[in-house]
Amino acid sequence: YQCRPGAAGAVEPLPAPAPPAPEIATEEEVTTAAASPIEEKEEEEVEVAVLGKDLPAVVLPPAAEENCDQGDISRIITKDDWEDLFPYRNDPACKSSKNPDGSQIAGGFYEYDDFVAAARRFPCFLGSGSDDDKKKEAAAFLAQISHETTGGWATAPGGAQSWGLCWKEEVGCETGNCAQYCAAGDPCAAAGEDASCPCASGKTYHGRGPMQLSWNYNYEPAGRALGVDLLAEPERITQDPDLAFSTAMYFWMSPRGNKPSAHSVMMGTWEPTAQDVAAGRTPGFGTTTNIINGGLECGIDNDYRVEDRVLYYERYTQYLGVEAGDNLRCSDQRSF
């Protein structure tokens, strides 16, 4: 995701996913899909670290009227649901479950238990409103991270929207050759934030984790909230799945600059300003896309990246048995 500090038609629902098809995609097919422009960025190994239980809880101030009660997350999404929704995440053609040397990570990387462990650090994530509200938020969050990490293509086994969580690192940047994601100087201090985020020598800040965290000015606040120096060690996101999911949830739950949190948009606690209304930014899934990558994807009719996000969201809402709601796209919105 590309949040910069201080920055001023229905689709036919898909059926619930079938069990994975027996055919195996080639790595070339999946890599071609992931390396297509679907993940353009705004403005445009390592021994496994065990962080897990050492990560602190992150209690972000909820809206005054928000009463958070996460309860048993399996009421919202179960481990079996996870297997149904992400059947190809550990496919040999994907890299999310591979070490830098290409060997398989024992037990996988994007697994349900790590998702739940990360969610526990954010009590209001899947913790606001009714169970249907929580399922709708789960569908929106999972749709966005699925698009950010998709390995799907039009004729993919199981359908294009069965290939979420295929990558844990931006394709083509695994060897540290993507130095373009370093904003010069100290962009956090320049934006008036009480933080310093100059790039560390020899480190790159390309997309990592489920939300594809990018740029030094995004790594610093996420790391600070989670008690990890991600400016000095950005690679830790691809070494610990709990941390990886936590960075995605930190973004989802956190307003910044003139952007609301995606959580508040989906929960209906965000109140658009007059400027938001004039810019077409109203509550709904489309505004979460605007928060994530609006500068490249919003204000465009029939943008294929937006459509991919919507298809994931409609698949997940149908699977979880909730309504998708209105304003799914951002074609009529100006970016934040």
Side-chain angles (χ1 to χ4, degrees):
Y1 64 87
Q2 307 303 319
C3 173
R4 172 176 283 282
V11 175
E12 184 177 350
L14 296 178
E23 55 206 293
I24 298 296
T26 66
E27 184 162 347
E28 288 75 18
E29 287 175 314
V30 178
T31 301
T32 299
S36 72
I38 199 165
E39 291 305 323
E40 292 179 61
K41 302 295 179 185
E42 251 182 72
E43 298 198 22
E44 316 238 90
E45 245 205 25
V46 188
E47 184 178 356
V48 173
V50 180
L51 299 177
K53 297 181 175 60
D54 296 331
L55 289 177
V58 180
V59 182
L60 301 170
E65 69 277 11
E66 193 170 6
N67 182 20
C68 301
D69 179 19
Q70 203 173 59
D72 183 359
I73 290 177
S74 67
R75 293 197 334 272
I76 311 306
I77 181 169
T78 68
K79 191 167 187 175
D80 285 344
D81 293 335
W82 193 263
E83 297 300 322
D84 285 345
L85 295 176
F86 303 108
Y88 293 101
R89 68 191 186 281
N90 294 325
D91 188 273
C94 292
K95 292 184 178 179
S96 68
S97 61
K98 293 181 180 178
N99 292 306
D101 64 1
S103 62
Q104 287 294 119
I105 297 173
F109 189 81
Y110 287 133
E111 299 305 311
Y112 176 77
D113 290 344
D114 293 299
F115 167 78
V116 172
R120 291 300 186 200
R121 308 188 193 287
F122 301 87
C124 290
F125 177 70
L126 309 186
S128 301
S130 67
D131 278 1
D132 279 355
D133 293 331
K134 296 171 184 177
K135 288 179 180 180
K136 189 173 178 180
E137 179 177 27
F141 175 81
L142 294 177
Q144 295 293 12
I145 65 172
S146 292
H147 169 80
E148 293 292 330
T149 59
T150 188
W153 66 101
T155 59
Q161 278 68 49
S162 292
W163 287 77
L165 300 183
C166 191
W167 312 105
K168 64 178 186 293
E169 190 161 12
E170 187 172 345
V171 174
C173 297
E174 300 91 343
T175 58
N177 60 330
C178 292
Q180 67 267 31
Y181 296 107
C182 173
D186 189 342
C188 295
E193 297 187 347
D194 186 19
S196 179
C197 59
C199 298
S201 177
K203 299 296 182 179
T204 61
Y205 303 97
H206 56 270
R208 292 182 176 94
M211 198 65 81
Q212 291 292 280
L213 185 72
S214 307
W215 295 93
N216 48 314
Y217 50 73
N218 286 319
Y219 273 72
E220 192 284 330
R224 177 160 33 96
L226 295 167
V228 180
D229 187 350
L230 291 179
L231 283 179
E233 298 181 282
E235 64 276 2
R236 291 179 76 167
I237 294 173
T238 60
Q239 296 168 3
D240 182 352
D242 188 338
L243 176 61
F245 278 120
S246 294
T247 61
M249 292 172 191
Y250 169 80
F251 166 70
W252 184 262
M253 299 298 298
S254 302
R256 197 173 185 196
N258 67 335
K259 293 184 178 183
S261 70
H263 166 77
S264 69
V265 170
M266 292 308 301
M267 289 296 99
T269 58
W270 170 56
E271 296 183 4
T273 65
Q275 290 83 1
D276 288 320
V277 173
R281 300 188 294 259
T282 55
F285 179 75
T287 297
T288 70
T289 298
N290 197 331
I291 292 168
I292 293 168
N293 211 25
L296 284 177
E297 299 181 22
C298 295
I300 304 169
D301 287 334
N302 302 314
D303 185 87
Y304 65 93
R305 297 158 296 188
V306 172
E307 292 304 314
D308 187 63
R309 296 179 193 271
V310 172
L311 285 170
Y312 270 115
Y313 178 57
E314 291 189 321
R315 179 189 178 207
Y316 295 164
T317 53
Q318 181 178 4
Y319 183 95
L320 295 174
V322 293
E323 295 295 325
D326 300 323
N327 302 320
L328 303 188
R329 295 164 179 81
C330 60
S331 56
D332 57 351
Q333 297 184 19
R334 293 197 298 272
S335 63
F336 283 96

